[in-house]
Amino acid sequence: MSANPQWDISRALRVARLFHLVCGVRDACVTPFLTLYLRQLGLAAPWVGILMGTKHLIAASWAPFCAFLARSHQKRRVLLTASLLGSAGASLFMVLVPPLDRDPGDRRCNGSHSLTAEGPPPGVALTVTVTLASEPTSNSAAGALSLALERSSGVAGTRGFGEGPGESGQEPFSYPPSSSMGSTQGARNRSGVLHPDTPGVTGSPREGAFRVVSPPLPLFAGSTALARPANQSAAKGDGRDLGLSLEGLQWTFILSLGSVVFWELQTSPLEQVADDSLYEYLDFVDATDRYRSLWVWKLLGTSVGVCGIAALVGPLDCFLAASGPRGVVHFYGYSLVSALALLVSIAFPVPVCRRLEPSYRTVKALSLVVGDPHLTVLALTIFLTGGATSVVQNFLFWQMKDHGSSELIMGFSVALGLLGEILLHPFKAPLLRKLSRVGTVGLGLGCLAGQLLYYSFLWSWWSVLPAQILSALSHGALWWAVTTSIEHLATPGTERPLSALFQGHVCESGASLGSFVGGFVVMRFSLPVLYQACCVLLLLWLALFLSIQPRLPQERKINYSKLLAVEASDTSDSEQGTERDWLVKAMREEHSDCRG
């Protein structure tokens, strides 16, 4: 079949590869580091969970709706342009959100001499001793001296978030105050106020051992976090400052929520609209088999982008952020790469002819999932996997930051998992053939559970890297098995709607629920407890998943409805002959399975 001159497939594929590569770089500029930036704004784990859960919820509902409108009204190129322009501008709104700490952002850049904690790594207790000069006795009364430490950014997210600080005479604190996410005492650094402990006063000049008083800041002034006696006594002299802090926290959260919602409304439709457009373009000339290899370019772009932007954050933040938290380079880089993607989108292939398709494809795919037990179990698996994966994406960088990791190491850890997935792809067919689709899904679930358990016992920033290699199996192999299962179980015309349903609605809904719940679990317990709980949940589902497989209805070896949908000329007039005929191959596979 010769292609019409207007269908330049080679050029279309080159543009599509470049577009996927640029979009991968674009997403990598912000998406992996977004929760870390929100933490630096001063938001604690529950509020970051709410923001990320809202983001995933919008992606689950808004993107398919926009794709439907663009397909129905033939406005795909308009939507691509609007999405790239809108997301480039909306991302800059995050730079305008005021941080909770109004002090100049990075003190290594501005040379501030304010008191900062420098000492042992996280988890090592440290007692602060302050030497006082000789003063009149009237000026040395207990409680007359307080030394304000630099307020930490977004710490209150562990055990101790709701605990009173004064259980012991001397209270240790963890270093650095901006980290302490993973330690059991880390959340006590929230306010960072040192009050004298008079029993420790000895000699002249007098030495007073000071304990850290850290009343946690609730989200709203009506919160019960200040109702405890220890917190009330600590806040008596600072009621006005505390009220201002609570008001600032409200504005930081509300503005962050508005910026994230507006940004996600702009950027979420881009990927699905571009994929649908390219697939239909190639489908007109029967070249959809070449569509399957484009995902590699997206992963390559993400790998390059996540390391490149992390390498630029350190030197450029000092020039671009005279005040506020570090990380604004991520958003500027995102906007610049969005402008580059806009230029590439001008030549992006969009079909000029409209293929007649039913408008109820998503409803038909949903009814197929509900009516097929295999697809129902698979959907529940993807839902749980999305929730567990969101926990890692939201809080793993927090944990690495607590252990002293730089953003370059964080970016390298992400790239390591993506490159592992690319390198494993040549073994996709042998893996599915040896383990079967069910076995591969089980392997992916087991690897993800193992990663979560491993993350709960991290001891250093570099200890993350070995576990990231398993992402090739916990994400790549799992989705290969899911995609293959969809191709086998789908009826004619529902393969792509089913894939969109699983990747969009089901996975994003699970990620939304995981983000909402995960933030509050981190606040109430700790991050390691959250990882371990997700690990136990996945292992329980894995056991149930494997145990119910023999009880499900047996799959048809040959999908005759697909055979009837294939035109006779595509099978009888094939140049490869009957050896490559679809029916012959399927019957031979069925016969070999029966003999085995």
Side-chain angles (χ1 to χ4, degrees), residues 189-270:
N189 306 328
R190 182 62 187 174
S191 294
V193 178
L194 295 177
H195 289 282
D197 196 8
T198 52
V201 177
T202 58
S204 179
R206 297 180 303 278
E207 294 182 353
F210 287 78
R211 57 187 177 87
V212 177
V213 176
S214 309
L217 293 177
L219 177 59
F220 299 109
S223 172
T224 59
L226 295 178
R228 305 185 56 155
N231 291 338
Q232 288 178 345
S233 62
K236 282 182 180 179
D238 299 323
R240 182 176 180 181
D241 293 339
L242 184 58
L244 294 176
S245 298
L246 293 177
E247 182 180 358
L249 183 57
Q250 290 182 30
W251 277 109
T252 299
F253 174 75
I254 293 173
L255 292 177
S256 298
L257 179 61
S259 300
V260 169
V261 169
F262 180 63
W263 183 17
E264 189 64 24
L265 289 174
Q266 301 298 317
T267 192
S268 60
L270 178 67

Side-chain angles (χ1 to χ4, degrees), residues 377-387 478-479 482 502-503 506-507 510 541:
V377 173
L378 206 59
L380 292 175
T381 302
I382 295 302
F383 183 84
L384 294 177
T385 302
L478 177 64
W479 275 103
V482 170
F502 273 75
Q503 295 178 3
V506 179
C507 186
W541 176 253

Side-chain angles (χ1 to χ4, degrees), residues 34 81 94 110 121 129 132 159 191 193 237 251 266 270 310 343 355-356 366 425 431 523 527 529 542 547 558 588:
L34 181 57
T81 304
M94 287 298 300
N110 58 34
T129 302
L132 305 177
R159 277 172 69 187
S191 294
V193 178
W251 277 109
Q266 301 298 317
L270 178 67
L343 296 177
R355 182 180 293 272
L356 297 177
L366 183 60
H425 186 260
L431 185 66
M523 178 189 70
L527 184 56
V529 170
L542 175 59
S547 63
I558 303 177
R588 285 182 177 177

Side-chain angles (χ1 to χ4, degrees), residues 531-591:
Y531 284 151
Q532 293 166 8
C534 291
C535 173
V536 171
L537 180 62
L538 286 180
L539 290 178
L540 291 175
W541 176 253
L542 175 59
L544 181 62
F545 176 80
L546 296 178
S547 63
I548 64 177
Q549 289 299 319
R551 297 173 174 82
L552 295 178
Q554 187 176 5
E555 296 181 19
R556 292 173 297 180
K557 295 294 183 180
I558 303 177
N559 195 331
Y560 292 99
S561 59
K562 286 187 178 181
L563 178 63
L564 294 175
V566 177
E567 295 181 0
S569 59
D570 293 338
T571 57
S572 59
D573 298 336
S574 175
E575 296 179 358
Q576 289 83 3
T578 57
E579 188 66 25
R580 304 298 296 269
D581 187 84
W582 187 87
L583 178 60
V584 173
K585 290 177 62 178
M587 294 181 66
R588 285 182 177 177
E589 290 177 1
E590 183 178 23
H591 181 64

